[in-house]
Amino acid sequence: MSDAQAAPTPTPEGAAPGATDFANYFCTYSYIYHQKEMLEDSKRTGAYYQAVMSNKRQFQGKVVLDVGTGSGILAIFAAKAGAKKVYAVEATAMAVPARKLVAHNKLSDVIEVIQGTIETIELPEKVDIIISEWMGYFLLRESMLDSVLIARDRFMKPGGSLYPSHATMLLAPIRTRTTQQRVSELQRHMEGWSGFLHDMKNYYQWTDTHPGQMLGPGTVFKKYDLNKVTLEEIKDVLKENFTMHVTDEGPVEAFCGYFDTFFRGSDENPTDNEVRLSTAPDPTGATHWGQQQFYLHPAIECEPGDSLSCSIEVGRQKENHRLLHVRISSKLEGGSMYAEQCKGSAPRQFTFNIE
């Protein structure tokens, strides 16, 4: 075979994740069943499809990096939108079936699957676009955003774009019967079970919250521009103050946490069509992220027109940086008799672990 006909030299692969990080995080994503669960989340997969296919102009002739490609679906979307080259990086052995899927779609000439962590691989060129599905529960669980920002800083051209490009975190006051059920369970079992008592006091749950449970609108307490936020900011403890408004009869039995992401491109290369991926309570059902309910006991009695003056801290657990510790303080304000009773009192404090 002549030099002109020779196949391009494959990009070298990177290192595997460390043993502890693999056991705590990566191993789950190396199984087909977990990839299947995410692929079958039509709201998730559909939003990425729309973000790419409704913005083909931004992808045509461009070099794209898919961070954590998994099954390879986002890389395939990018290639079908006209990208001239897609580097699909996968830290686990899921890279093997991803290559098969790429080949089955006859895209091996465009998509190159590279096995290894994004922190250890090398690319032969800079990229125009980075696409990744990095979000975890309450947006930040799993800390995969670290890897996306590392990829951005190492490989993205000036003026390049991230898909998604922006994210918001929200909390809303809700009603739920689960709080009282869990308290009853706690009271039945607490005698002699100090560990169980501790766990129950820090209880949160993945849920599919119905909009009818909401006692007020979701309040955005944090916004991220992923083109500009730094790795240091993401690693630092998130601290914000905000106010939630009560528009329906209480009591507030839990706070409901969720996130939205937006595909807007960058200032230099904006999308033609903005797409939003929301994990808000939805009557048609939740995404695989669901929502996180942070249970309050006792519940906060309130009336429509009251508000909750809140502060929140979200940090990484010391034992496992991919898990979260959440601290919320809240004080009722307004004109109701419940708000009047709270005047002069300290805010209530709640702590939760997102495992």
Side-chain angles (χ1 to χ4, degrees), residues 37-207:
E37 178 187 11
M38 293 188 291
L39 288 169
E40 290 177 344
D41 182 345
S42 60
K43 294 174 183 176
R44 163 203 182 263
T45 306
Y48 274 88
Y49 180 84
Q50 289 298 325
V52 176
M53 293 303 176
S54 67
N55 292 290
K56 286 186 176 181
R57 184 179 67 83
Q58 282 72 15
F59 283 82
Q60 288 173 353
K62 298 297 176 63
V63 179
V64 178
L65 170 59
D66 179 4
V67 178
T69 196
S71 66
I73 188 66
L74 303 186
I76 290 171
F77 290 167
K80 288 184 175 292
K84 70 176 181 180
K85 181 70 177 183
V86 182
Y87 297 101
V89 178
E90 172 56 40
T92 75
M94 186 53 59
V96 176
R99 288 191 185 100
K100 294 179 180 178
L101 286 169
V102 168
H104 180 77
N105 281 272
K106 298 180 173 55
L107 292 170
S108 298
D109 58 331
V110 175
I111 300 173
E112 183 176 356
V113 179
I114 304 167
Q115 186 170 346
T117 62
I118 197 70
E119 293 82 359
T120 62
I121 63 116
E122 297 291 341
L123 297 181
E125 59 185 323
K126 298 291 187 180
V127 304
D128 301 288
I129 294 172
I130 293 176
I131 190 168
S132 180
E133 196 274 80
W134 54 266
M135 299 83 75
Y137 294 157
F138 208 40
L139 187 69
L140 299 178
R141 183 185 179 273
E142 301 183 11
S143 298
M144 187 183 166
L145 181 54
D146 292 13
S147 296
V148 175
L149 298 185
I150 289 170
R152 179 199 66 187
D153 295 343
R154 293 186 68 201
F155 301 122
M156 196 167 77
K157 296 176 182 176
S161 304
L162 282 93
Y163 282 61
S165 58
H166 296 75
T168 57
M169 301 175 71
L170 304 92
L171 273 182
I174 64 168
R175 60 171 65 90
T176 173
R177 294 180 179 179
T178 307
T179 302
Q180 189 54 48
Q181 292 171 352
R182 298 299 292 187
V183 170
S184 298
E185 184 179 349
L186 167 63
Q187 292 171 342
R188 290 197 306 270
H189 295 283
M190 65 183 293
E191 186 174 353
W193 294 86
S194 59
F196 182 79
L197 175 63
H198 179 269
D199 289 344
M200 292 297 292
K201 284 185 175 179
N202 295 277
Y203 185 71
Y204 96 100
Q205 184 176 359
W206 180 101
T207 62

Side-chain angles (χ1 to χ4, degrees), residues 236-249:
D236 198 8
V237 176
L238 182 162
K239 297 180 180 181
E240 295 291 340
N241 299 315
F242 61 102
T243 299
M244 290 188 285
H245 297 282
V246 179
T247 58
D248 204 350
E249 292 289 343

Side-chain angles (χ1 to χ4, degrees), residues 143 146 149-150 224 229-238 314-316 321:
S143 298
D146 292 13
L149 298 185
I150 289 170
Y224 289 109
V229 67
T230 67
L231 183 59
E232 290 71 26
E233 289 175 289
I234 291 296
K235 287 184 174 181
D236 198 8
V237 176
L238 182 162
V314 183
R316 302 180 180 195
H321 75 283

Side-chain angles (χ1 to χ4, degrees), residues 300-331:
I300 300 174
E301 297 288 350
C302 58
E303 293 182 356
D306 286 342
S307 60
L308 292 161
S309 179
C310 301
S311 66
I312 189 169
E313 295 183 8
V314 183
R316 302 180 180 195
Q317 295 185 22
K318 293 180 180 179
E319 298 79 8
N320 184 344
H321 75 283
R322 296 191 182 276
L323 306 180
L324 300 177
H325 180 74
V326 179
R327 184 188 304 274
I328 302 172
S329 71
S330 179
K331 184 171 182 178

Side-chain angles (χ1 to χ4, degrees), residues 330-334 337-348:
S330 179
K331 184 171 182 178
L332 185 68
E333 298 179 345
M337 66 175 183
Y338 302 113
E340 288 293 325
Q341 292 168 0
C342 292
K343 286 185 177 179
S345 62
R348 290 179 61 187

